[in-house]
Amino acid sequence: MPNPPVEADTPTTAPRPFTEEPVADAYVSRETQSREEDDPPLAMEALRAVQILNPSGEVTMPRPDRPRIMCVANQKGGVGKTTTTVNLAVALALHGNRVLVVDLDPQGNASTGLNVPHHAGISDVYDCLIDNVPLAEVAQQVEGIPNLWCVPATIDLAGAEIELVSVVARESRLARAIAGHPEPFDYVFIDCPPSLGLLTVNALVAAREVLIPIQCEYYALEGLNQLINNINLVRQHLNPNLDVSTIILTMYDRRTRLADAVEQDVRNHFGDKVLQTVIPRNVRVSEAPSYGQSVMTYDPGSRGATSYFEAALEIAERGVDKVAGHNA
């Protein structure tokens, strides 16, 4: 007996039952972007690049009424201190601010990222700290960024910790060097070494604000209490004007629940001090230093460049709001 005819619209497989969205989505931070934003078309990427590079000079970030001296510190290594310092400095300089980067890490990575010579024999921040050489004689103009200068660090700085022990007023050597610069800057970023020694103490005494990059991993939170305790000691005994003004979350991987958990912990503890912008893991950010560039100039349309641009804008706007609040 022949089989009955099969209707044309009869499905050959059973329809998939309706299921709710995966639970993991509930843990994804608001940093999560759509597929289109994460992998933008060329036109969108070009538009972002023009905004970030600002070739016309028409787009400007707010300039503070007084110099903002920011110490970028965290005694844990590999959390993005140097990367954050370099990219924020370039972003602000490209948008109308006069910026100085002081490389206080003997490894000299900030100098490398800005393509500033820092080999042996170059005058560097060591000369300012030990021999009282004026900062203006050591600072170098960063090529291609008109409003950006860098005080490099050479390997000589590695011995400064020991040599500063016997120096008079050893904790305030950098503060005096910055104060003696003849021309004011809108921003001074001090890139600290991954330690809590005399170099970092010099940076904390010279600064008015502390910017703490925190990697979105558990180990990054472990030493945070010790850093905050040291900052409080410096405030009590050496620099009463010091304030932890900014926390920035770096290396955020939205694929993991851990990153979101760390973010929530940091926001619950530090509140408004944490920037709304988070810095995602991005290969362009890691590649840029090998070409002697920041990610802002290496690949201005990338997700990493966009995030640092937004972070710089947020810092600039917060600075203006803070000054306005004090004057009210």
Side-chain angles (χ1 to χ4, degrees), residues 70 72-73 79-92 101 110 189 191 211-215 246-251 275 279 285 294-296 308 311-312 315:
M70 306 186 76
V72 184
V79 299
K81 290 187 297 296
T82 299
T83 301
T84 297
T85 300
V86 167
N87 288 298
L88 290 179
V90 171
L92 288 162
V101 172
F189 288 98
D191 183 34
L211 187 158
I212 305 177
I214 298 178
Q215 184 182 5
T246 310
I247 309 289
I248 184 168
L249 295 164
T250 62
M251 304 182 197
L275 294 182
I279 310 300
V285 174
S294 68
V295 73
M296 315 299 294
Y308 272 116
I315 289 172

Side-chain angles (χ1 to χ4, degrees), residues 254-272:
R254 63 175 175 268
R255 298 170 298 180
T256 65
R257 295 187 182 187
L258 175 62
D260 190 67
V262 171
E263 177 187 4
Q264 296 308 317
D265 285 347
V266 173
R267 291 192 185 281
N268 291 337
H269 189 274
F270 290 101
D272 293 340

Side-chain angles (χ1 to χ4, degrees), residues 69-72 100-105 124-136 138 150-153 157 160 164 167-181 188-193 197-209 239:
I69 305 176
M70 306 186 76
C71 166
V72 184
L100 174 69
V101 172
V102 178
D103 190 352
L104 208 59
D105 188 344
D124 72 330
V125 69
Y126 171 89
D127 299 311
C128 301
L129 296 175
I130 304 300
D131 299 326
N132 291 320
V133 174
L135 204 67
V138 178
C150 176
V151 178
L157 192 60
L164 281 171
V167 173
V168 176
R170 60 191 181 188
E171 300 92 353
S172 58
R173 306 286 285 187
L174 182 61
R176 287 196 298 171
I178 293 174
H181 197 282
V188 177
F189 288 98
I190 307 172
D191 183 34
C192 293
L198 268 174
L199 291 176
T200 300
V201 171
N202 260 269
L204 292 172
V205 173
R208 297 182 65 91
E209 303 177 48
N239 183 6

Side-chain angles (χ1 to χ4, degrees), residues 103-109 118 153-159 161 193-194 199:
D103 190 352
L104 208 59
D105 188 344
Q107 297 177 86
N109 289 338
H118 59 102
T154 68
I155 193 61
D156 293 340
L157 192 60
E161 293 267 9
L199 291 176

Side-chain angles (χ1 to χ4, degrees), residues 53 60 68 118 125 128 137 182 220 299:
L53 290 176
T60 58
R68 296 182 66 186
H118 59 102
V125 69
C128 301
E137 295 183 12
D299 190 353

Side-chain angles (χ1 to χ4, degrees), residues 212-285:
I212 305 177
I214 298 178
Q215 184 182 5
C216 290
E217 292 185 2
Y218 175 74
Y219 283 142
L221 300 177
E222 278 201 314
L224 205 53
N225 283 336
Q226 185 60 48
L227 175 62
I228 298 299
N229 290 339
N230 279 45
I231 291 171
N232 290 334
L233 286 173
V234 171
R235 183 189 296 119
Q236 292 171 15
H237 300 288
L238 298 168
N239 183 6
N241 297 318
L242 188 64
D243 176 44
V244 179
S245 66
T246 310
I247 309 289
I248 184 168
L249 295 164
T250 62
M251 304 182 197
Y252 184 93
D253 189 345
R254 63 175 175 268
R255 298 170 298 180
T256 65
R257 295 187 182 187
L258 175 62
D260 190 67
V262 171
E263 177 187 4
Q264 296 308 317
D265 285 347
V266 173
R267 291 192 185 281
N268 291 337
H269 189 274
F270 290 101
D272 293 340
K273 294 181 184 291
V274 186
L275 294 182
Q276 290 301 312
T277 304
V278 299
I279 310 300
R281 285 192 179 275
N282 184 264
V283 68
R284 296 302 191 190
V285 174

